[in-house]
């Protein structure tokens, strides 16, 4: 088995596919996890998932990823725009993080344009809906394959 990825989803993303399909699509979080699991098998990587509506739980998960996972795909939801604490957690573990958003946050309200995650992530994927998750897995694998640690 190759690398291990953690796919971490933040507040309200448990509701995916049930409300606001015009913004976030009709795919559920369980569908996304199934797609990522199938892709992980193809890529020969391991993948784990966690969704939480609580900032501290997301921070604990980032800390716990150290030494267990090789990188994180993070959709921090609205904490993206507010959480210096999540930004600091990412910095403290020195793991590569791909920032992910279903919607194109740059085309939305001004308050979504600021991302604290972007300041510490290796890159950002946004605007591709659920398809962004497998894209993020390719991005992380590419980064890990080309970076000496
Ligand atoms: O586009 C994204 O993925 C976001 O991270 C989603 C967050 C939003 O606050 C960010 O600005 C962009 C909101 C997630 C809410 O998810 C829902 C899903 C279905 C129904 C209601 C909310």
């Amino acid at each position: 088995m190759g690398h291990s990825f953690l796919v971490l989803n933040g507040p309200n993303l448990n509701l995916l596919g049930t409300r606001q399909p015009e913004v976030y699509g009709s795919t559920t979080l369980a569908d996304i996890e199934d797609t990522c699991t199938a892709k992980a098998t193809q890529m020969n990587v391991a993948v784990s998932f966690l969704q939480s509506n609580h900032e501290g739980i997301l921070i604990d998960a980032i800390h716990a990823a150290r030494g267990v996972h090789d990188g994180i795909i993070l959709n921090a939801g609205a904490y993206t725009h507010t959480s210096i604490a999540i930004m600091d957690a990412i910095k403290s573990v020195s793991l590569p993080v791909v920032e992910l958003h279903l919607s194109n946050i740059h085309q939305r309200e001004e308050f979504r344009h600021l991302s604290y995650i972007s300041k510490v992530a290796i890159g950002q994927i946004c605007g591709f809906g659920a398809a962004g998750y497998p894209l993020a897995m390719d991005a992380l694998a590419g980064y890990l394959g080309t970076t000496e640690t």
Side-chain angles (χ1 to χ4, degrees):
M1 184 62 71
H3 291 117
S4 177
F5 298 167
L6 173 65
V7 178
L8 194 53
N9 283 291
N12 298 307
L13 288 159
N14 53 311
L15 298 177
L16 265 187
T18 65
R19 306 208 182 110
Q20 290 182 262
E22 67 290 355
V23 184
Y24 298 117
S26 52
T27 307
T28 65
L29 195 54
D31 293 335
I32 288 172
E33 292 182 0
D34 287 349
T35 301
C36 290
T37 300
K39 180 154 178 83
T41 304
Q42 283 170 15
M43 294 171 74
N44 193 36
V45 301
V47 66
S48 302
F49 304 96
L50 182 83
Q51 185 276 330
S52 178
N53 295 321
H54 304 277
E55 189 173 19
I57 291 176
L58 295 169
I59 291 167
D60 287 344
I62 292 165
H63 292 172
R66 200 165 149 225
V68 176
H69 300 291
D70 300 293
I72 301 173
I73 294 160
L74 174 63
N75 185 346
Y79 287 141
T80 302
H81 320 297
T82 62
S83 184
I84 296 169
I86 293 177
M87 178 185 76
D88 285 347
I90 293 168
K91 227 172 165 187
S92 74
V93 295
S94 304
L95 281 172
V97 170
V98 176
E99 176 183 4
L100 182 102
H101 300 285
L102 297 149
S103 61
N104 184 342
I105 57 173
H106 307 287
Q107 289 180 347
R108 300 185 65 194
E109 304 95 323
E110 194 77 31
F111 63 81
R112 295 188 205 272
H113 298 179
L114 169 67
S115 167
Y116 286 102
I117 309 302
S118 286
K119 298 180 187 304
V120 289
I122 57 170
Q124 183 192 69
I125 293 172
C126 75
F128 295 101
Y133 286 83
L135 288 173
M137 291 175 72
D138 279 332
L140 195 50
Y143 177 85
L144 289 167
T146 55
T147 305
E148 299 293 322
T149 49

